[in-house]
Amino acid sequence: MMMDLKGLNQQEMEDYAKTIGESAFRGRQLFKWIYNKGESDFGPMTDIGKALKEKLSHICYVSQIKPVNRVKSANGDTEKFLFELSDGNHVESVLMRYEEHLGFGRTTACISTQVGCAQGCAFCASGKHGFIRNLTAAEIVDQVIQIQNTIDETEERVSNVVIMGIGEPLVNYDNVLKAIHLINHCDGVAIGIRHIAVSTVGIPALIRRLADEKLHIRFAVSLHAPNDEIRNKIMPVNHKFPISELIDACKYYQKTTERRITIEYMLIDGLNDSPAHARELAKLLDGLFVMVNLIPLNPVEHFPYKRPPMARCRAFIAETEKYGLKSLLRNERGTGIDAACGQLRNRVEESASDLL
Ligand code: SAH
C-alpha cells in the first residue's frame, strides 16, 4: 500500500526515510516541503535527487484535501472554504482577516476537527446532521496548508489558527494534538504556539489532560450560560458535566499552565442576556483569570432564539465590567456567506440529499 506522508511528524518522517533505506535528513527535507512549503508533488522538491523522487513516487504520496468551494464576503474580510475529503465527506474552514492598528493585521484560519459533531448544542448548525467521524491529523493540518496555498499569490500569510470549526476538538484528542504540533513546528507550518487557539464545549477530564501538556496555546471554553439551568437547555454536554465540574477543570488548567482562559459566552435574546445573568457570570468566574468573548447569537434554523438587540449586549458587557470581568463584544463573521458555524457544510449536505 502507498504510504501517505501527510500526517507524519518529523520523527516519523525520519523513521520512514530510514525504513526505505534513506537518511533521517531526507525525512527532515520531506517534512519541510510538505508542511512548510505546502508541497504535495515530489517534482518541485529541488533538494531531492531525481532517483529518489522516482523511488518515492512508487511507494508513498502526500494526500491533499480538495477545495471544492471558495466564497468571499462582499468586503473581502472573510472567506469560506469547503473541502472534500478522500472518502467524499466535506469539511469547512474559514479565513478571517482583521485589520489592526499600527498596520499589524491578522489572518486567521478557523479549522474543523470532525465531520459533523456529536455534541448537539441547540444553537449550532454543525451538529445538525450528527457525527460522522474524526478528522485525521493530516486532514486537520491540511486545512491550513491548503488555505495558505490558495492565498500564496497575494503574499499573505496565515498568522493565526483557531481550532473552532466543526467538531469538538478534545474528543479527537490525539489527532488534534498532533496537528497542533505540525502547525506549530518551525519546519512545519511554523505558526507560533501562542497564535493557535483551541475551543472546547468543556469536557473536564480532557481539559485536565490538555493542561498537563503545558502548551502555550490559547484555550477557550464555550460556556454560554451562567448556571446549569440555562446551560442544560442549550448544551447537552452539561447534563454529564455540570458547570461546577467545568469550572474546577478550568481552575486546574489555569494552575497548571499559568495561562489566561478565554470564556465564550453567546448572548441569546431573553435566555442569558440580562444584567442579572451578567452578575451571575461574574460571580461564577471569580477566581479565574479570564477574558470573556461575548458573541451575539448567529441565528440558525430550527433554534427558536434570536440575537439580542445591540443595546442589551452593551448593557450586559457594562454590567460584567462593573464586576471587574474583562470582556469584549465580538462581531460575528461570515453570516452573509453561510460561513457561520457549520452552515456551509449543511448547505452542501442538504442540497446533496435533495438530489437523492
Ligand atoms: N466544539 C468546540 C468548537 C467548535 S464551535 C466548542 O464548542 O467550543 C466554535 C464556537 O462557535 C463555540 O463557542 C460555539 O458555541 C460557537 N457557536 C456555535 N453556534 C453558534 C451560533 N449559532 N452563534 C454563535 N456562536 C456559535
Side-chain angles (χ1 to χ4, degrees):
M1 218 178 72
M2 294 276 274
M3 173 81 176
D4 182 9
L5 298 184
K6 195 166 278 166
L8 300 186
N9 63 29
Q10 197 177 46
Q11 182 66 52
E12 290 165 339
M13 205 84 82
E14 291 179 13
D15 292 345
Y16 179 71
K18 285 193 261 178
T19 63
I20 62 166
E22 303 293 332
S23 64
F25 174 69
R26 293 292 178 206
R28 289 197 295 279
Q29 286 178 311
L30 285 165
F31 184 87
K32 196 161 181 178
W33 278 110
I34 292 169
Y35 299 111
N36 196 272
K37 311 255 186 267
E39 193 52 73
S40 314
D41 293 327
F42 298 121
M45 300 183 179
T46 45
D47 51 8
I48 291 177
K50 209 168 160 221
L52 179 54
K53 282 179 187 165
E54 174 68 15
K55 173 173 161 185
L56 292 173
S57 70
H58 293 294
I59 53 178
C60 58
Y61 69 106
V62 183
S63 65
Q64 289 189 86
I65 57 174
K66 195 167 119 202
V68 290
N69 195 347
R70 179 180 176 192
V71 188
K72 222 180 202 175
S73 64
N75 64 1
D77 69 2
T78 306
E79 228 175 311
K80 157 199 77 178
F81 295 81
L82 184 73
F83 294 105
E84 193 174 294
L85 311 177
S86 58
D87 63 358
N89 276 307
H90 292 95
V91 284
E92 63 186 74
S93 323
V94 181
L95 186 68
M96 292 163 284
R97 300 177 172 94
Y98 299 88
E99 289 285 341
E100 268 173 25
H101 59 294
L102 303 173
F104 292 102
R106 269 185 295 142
T107 301
T108 300
C110 173
I111 61 172
S112 297
T113 54
Q114 298 182 316
V115 181
C117 183
Q119 300 303 319
C121 299
F123 46 80
C124 179
S126 296
K128 239 183 96 189
H129 294 278
F131 169 71
I132 305 205
R133 68 167 174 88
N134 282 331
L135 295 187
T136 62
E139 290 165 337
I140 299 169
V141 63
D142 209 17
Q143 295 169 62
V144 187
I145 295 173
Q146 298 302 331
I147 290 176
Q148 182 59 57
N149 284 352
T150 58
I151 63 174
D152 265 349
E153 66 224 35
T154 57
E155 285 179 23
E156 201 181 351
R157 293 291 308 171
V158 174
S159 61
N160 295 62
V161 170
V162 295
I163 304 181
M164 295 190 185
I166 296 174
E168 170 47 41
L170 294 190
V171 301
N172 186 10
Y173 192 91
D174 293 338
N175 293 341
V176 168
L177 205 69
K178 192 173 194 190
I180 290 173
H181 287 300
L182 297 173
I183 293 166
N184 173 237
H185 197 289
C186 58
D187 285 335
V189 185
I191 291 175
I193 195 76
R194 288 178 173 76
H195 293 215
I196 301 173
V198 171
S199 174
T200 176
V201 78
I203 300 163
L206 295 171
I207 292 176
R208 289 167 193 269
R209 186 170 166 199
L210 184 66
D212 291 336
E213 313 278 352
K214 298 202 169 134
L215 293 175
H216 287 180
I217 52 172
R218 280 199 296 129
F219 176 65
V221 173
S222 298
L223 183 61
H224 301 327
N227 60 48
D228 285 323
E229 198 197 329
I230 297 177
R231 202 165 190 259
N232 281 339
K233 282 191 196 159
I234 53 175
M235 299 180 74
V237 69
N238 202 68
H239 293 288
K240 261 202 248 162
F241 310 113
I243 290 182
S244 58
E245 285 179 35
L246 175 56
I247 296 293
D248 279 352
C250 289
K251 288 190 172 148
Y252 179 82
Y253 188 94
Q254 189 131 76
K255 198 171 85 211
T256 311
T257 62
E258 301 181 325
R259 307 273 306 156
R260 183 171 77 176
I261 296 176
T262 300
I263 297 292
E264 288 165 274
Y265 190 100
M266 190 185 338
L267 292 162
I268 306 174
D269 195 44
L271 184 74
N272 66 359
D273 64 338
S274 73
H277 292 134
R279 288 192 289 277
E280 209 179 348
L281 178 66
K283 201 163 155 234
L284 180 67
L285 298 175
D286 192 35
L288 271 175
F289 176 41
V290 295
M291 158 79 197
V292 182
N293 270 341
L294 296 168
I295 316 144
L297 169 76
N298 249 323
V300 285
E301 269 175 82
H302 311 298
F303 183 58
Y305 289 96
K306 296 195 308 269
R307 163 184 312 186
M310 224 23 176
R312 214 167 150 84
C313 297
R314 287 208 199 91
F316 190 97
I317 193 169
E319 194 67 21
T320 62
E321 277 163 1
K322 272 195 220 157
Y323 289 80
L325 257 195
K326 201 166 156 30
S327 327
L328 257 178
L329 193 57
R330 296 283 179 186
N331 288 327
E332 98 290 353
R333 288 285 189 104
T335 314
I337 55 170
D338 287 336
C341 314
Q343 292 171 359
L344 173 66
R345 178 171 162 273
N346 279 351
R347 182 69 43 106
V348 171
E349 301 292 320
E350 277 159 18
S351 50
S353 51
D354 285 349
L355 296 173
L356 293 177

